[in-house]
Amino acid sequence: MIRVTVWNEFVHEKKDERVKEIYPAGIHNAIAAFLGKEEDIEVRVATLDDEECGLTEEVLRNTDVLIWWGHMAHGEVNDELVAKIQK
């Protein structure tokens, strides 16, 4: 089983009506829905608005592949979390 976490700021979809029209539930959920069709992939989503950006120690420990989708708010992810992700 491949454990995938799809992370997205989920900012652009809220601020731009055209983007919201295309990805009403966020691009992270569109990517997760596609990946979730595979039997050997377990997928979860996380966003900037989630506690600890959705990337707690437990989530990271249980993630084999992290897909990072960012566009507008990289500066809002704190450096401590970035270091934890990198590690």
Side-chain angles (χ1 to χ4, degrees):
M1 181 69 63
I2 301 169
R3 302 167 301 174
V4 177
T5 300
V6 181
W7 188 88
N8 178 28
E9 296 169 343
F10 197 35
V11 172
H12 204 193
E13 298 94 323
K14 294 177 184 178
K15 292 186 176 193
D16 186 313
E17 287 301 318
R18 185 161 184 268
V19 176
K20 182 188 261 184
E21 209 174 280
I22 297 167
Y23 301 110
I27 196 166
H28 55 294
N29 282 310
I31 294 168
F34 175 78
L35 293 174
K37 293 177 185 178
E38 299 297 322
E39 290 181 18
D40 61 343
I41 296 178
E42 177 185 298
V43 64
R44 78 174 83 221
V45 297
T47 68
L48 187 63
D49 291 337
D50 296 334
E51 186 175 336
E52 295 185 57
C53 295
L55 299 173
T56 63
E57 285 287 340
E58 181 181 348
V59 169
L60 291 174
R61 200 174 27 257
N62 291 295
T63 297
D64 299 313
V65 176
L66 174 63
I67 297 174
W68 186 274
W69 191 270
H71 177 69
M72 301 174 70
H74 287 287
E76 294 181 36
V77 179
N78 75 44
D79 291 340
E80 182 179 309
L81 178 59
V82 171
K84 186 169 39 170
I85 293 165
Q86 184 180 23
K87 179 182 167 194

